Amino acid sequence: MLNVQNITKKYNNLTAVSNVSFQLNRGEILAIIGKNGAGKSTIFKSILNFIQPESGNITLNGSTISDESKDLIGYMAEERGLFSDMTIEQVILYFAELHNYDKKKAKKNLSKWLELLSVKGKLSDKISSLSKGNQQKVQLITTLIHEPELLILDEPFSGLDPVNTDKLINLLLSLKENGTTILFSSHNMENVDKISDEIILLTDGHIALSGNLFDVRESFGRRNLYIENGYSYEEAIQLEGIQKVTVDSPGLQLSFENDSYAKQTLMTAQKRFNLTGYRLFSPNLNEIFKITTEINK
């Protein structure tokens, strides 16, 4: 589907993206995560030919991306923007036309999309009359109206409340089931965790971490330990290899430098206490993000 090979992009003396490669197959969801300025948007704009990398190749379905093949792509930029003096209907049909999508078919599907995303507004309402959240939903519809094979979404959850975030998550998972390929960025690791098949973590334009989400987690080892009826908080913060202690009633959650410390602590606690509950587990994506970005400073 999408093949990105060894792309490098520089802005004067700044290397925004360095030798980045990845492949995305049909019906897969890939999240690119990283701090602000890590290179996420540069990768998206390179795929769309908005900017030209100094080196590397990008292909879609085996061919270089052209103006024609862009009709297979839906893109929502982080910088939102719609024509505020146009109506909902006008702006969505305009974007459908830009992608050479049948206008009658687009018009027929308008009400379905508005209902699917719970847009509060009539087709005749101007964009300027809508709330920010509803404007964002309309912008998402302009990205989806032409039924793209590849979706590229830059911070799609930004500005959405929890209810509408869940609606978007369910929509993206439904699109995936129907074969749509999705590439997105987000600073919300919980949302990344819910929908991604693969992740790439960028630091200063380099890939610091990549792979299947489950495999990435497991590669960090089960360095977290939840324990009940064991150590007090004061004892826990003195344990060897401890990095963080969190009260998680009725127990404590202990985070260690590695899984060896966690396993040894559990073995000792089992001998010393009458534990009422315990569990070893891998770091969540938010913890992995922090660990990896600290290592790659």
Side-chain angles (χ1 to χ4, degrees):
M1 177 61 174
L2 178 66
N3 195 6
V4 175
Q5 285 294 322
N6 306 112
I7 64 165
T8 294
K9 175 62 184 175
K10 297 180 180 180
Y11 297 101
N12 298 321
N13 294 324
L14 173 68
T15 301
V17 173
S18 179
N19 200 36
V20 167
S21 297
F22 61 88
Q23 187 170 336
L24 189 54
N25 298 316
R26 191 173 302 279
E28 286 184 342
I29 301 180
L30 169 65
I32 299 183
I33 59 178
K35 295 193 293 187
N36 292 331
K40 304 182 294 293
S41 295
T42 296
I43 291 172
F44 294 163
K45 291 173 182 176
S46 297
I47 294 169
L48 292 157
N49 282 337
F50 293 168
I51 57 176
Q52 295 298 316
E54 273 68 31
S55 59
N57 295 293
I58 301 172
T59 59
L60 181 66
N61 294 329
S63 301
T64 302
I65 296 174
S66 62
D67 288 341
E68 291 74 23
S69 60
K70 283 183 185 177
D71 290 340
L72 304 176
I73 303 173
Y75 172 60
M76 187 167 76
E78 183 177 9
E79 302 82 13
R80 312 290 193 244
L82 294 170
F83 301 104
S84 59
D85 59 341
M86 294 175 73
T87 67
I88 293 175
E89 181 176 23
Q90 286 171 336
V91 78
I92 294 173
L93 293 181
Y94 171 73
F95 277 91
E97 194 172 355
L98 284 180
H99 286 284
N100 298 303
Y101 190 75
D102 183 78
K103 188 174 181 179
K104 288 183 179 178
K105 191 174 179 181
K107 196 166 186 175
K108 183 180 177 182
N109 291 334
L110 281 175
S111 296
K112 177 197 77 173
W113 281 113
L114 263 63
E115 183 178 349
L116 194 61
L117 285 167
S118 302
V119 176
K120 295 188 183 305
K122 302 186 297 293
L123 288 171
S124 58
D125 288 344
K126 287 195 172 185
I127 298 298
S128 58
S129 71
L130 304 179
S131 67
K132 277 189 176 181
N134 280 295
Q135 286 185 27
Q136 179 157 330
K137 292 179 192 177
V138 173
Q139 182 134 28
L140 183 60
I141 294 172
T142 67
T143 307
L144 298 167
I145 190 65
H146 60 290
E147 301 181 39
E149 293 182 14
L150 172 64
L151 267 182
I152 300 176
L153 307 173
D154 204 347
E155 294 292 338
F157 303 104
S158 176
L160 292 180
D161 60 46
V163 171
N164 285 303
T165 294
D166 284 345
K167 285 182 184 294
L168 178 52
I169 286 172
N170 290 333
L171 173 61
L172 295 179
L173 290 174
S174 175
L175 291 168
K176 166 189 159 67
E177 287 300 311
N178 289 319
T180 304
T181 303
I182 301 170
L183 174 63
F184 79 103
S185 70
S186 180
H187 285 111
N188 188 310
M189 296 301 107
E190 185 179 345
N191 294 335
V192 171
D193 212 355
K194 286 178 180 177
I195 66 173
S196 304
D197 299 306
E198 306 273 331
I199 64 163
I200 289 174
L201 198 162
L202 293 175
T203 59
D204 298 323
H206 295 80
I207 294 180
L209 191 65
S210 66
N212 174 272
L213 191 52
F214 176 80
D215 293 339
V216 166
R217 274 200 194 134
E218 290 299 301
S219 71
F220 280 78
R222 301 194 175 190
R223 59 172 72 186
N224 289 349
L225 170 63
Y226 172 76
I227 193 166
E228 289 178 14
N229 198 35
Y231 298 103
S232 67
Y233 183 90
E234 290 71 22
E235 288 177 305
I237 59 176
Q238 301 298 322
L239 291 168
E240 187 177 8
I242 195 72
Q243 290 188 316
K244 185 180 179 183
V245 179
T246 306
V247 176
D248 189 3
S249 185
L252 295 177
Q253 183 173 306
L254 314 178
S255 298
F256 293 89
E257 292 176 20
N258 57 52
D259 57 359
S260 296
Y261 285 122
K263 290 174 184 174
Q264 185 57 52
T265 299
L266 176 58
M267 289 173 62
T268 302
Q270 286 174 316
K271 294 174 183 176
R272 181 178 167 188
F273 305 108
N274 183 23
L275 300 180
T276 55
Y278 61 86
R279 181 168 68 96
L280 285 166
F281 57 100
S282 302
N284 61 33
L285 195 52
N286 200 47
E287 292 172 303
I288 289 171
F289 183 96
K290 292 176 181 177
I291 293 166
T292 305
T293 50
E294 282 295 315
I295 291 171
N296 288 275
K297 268 186 175 180

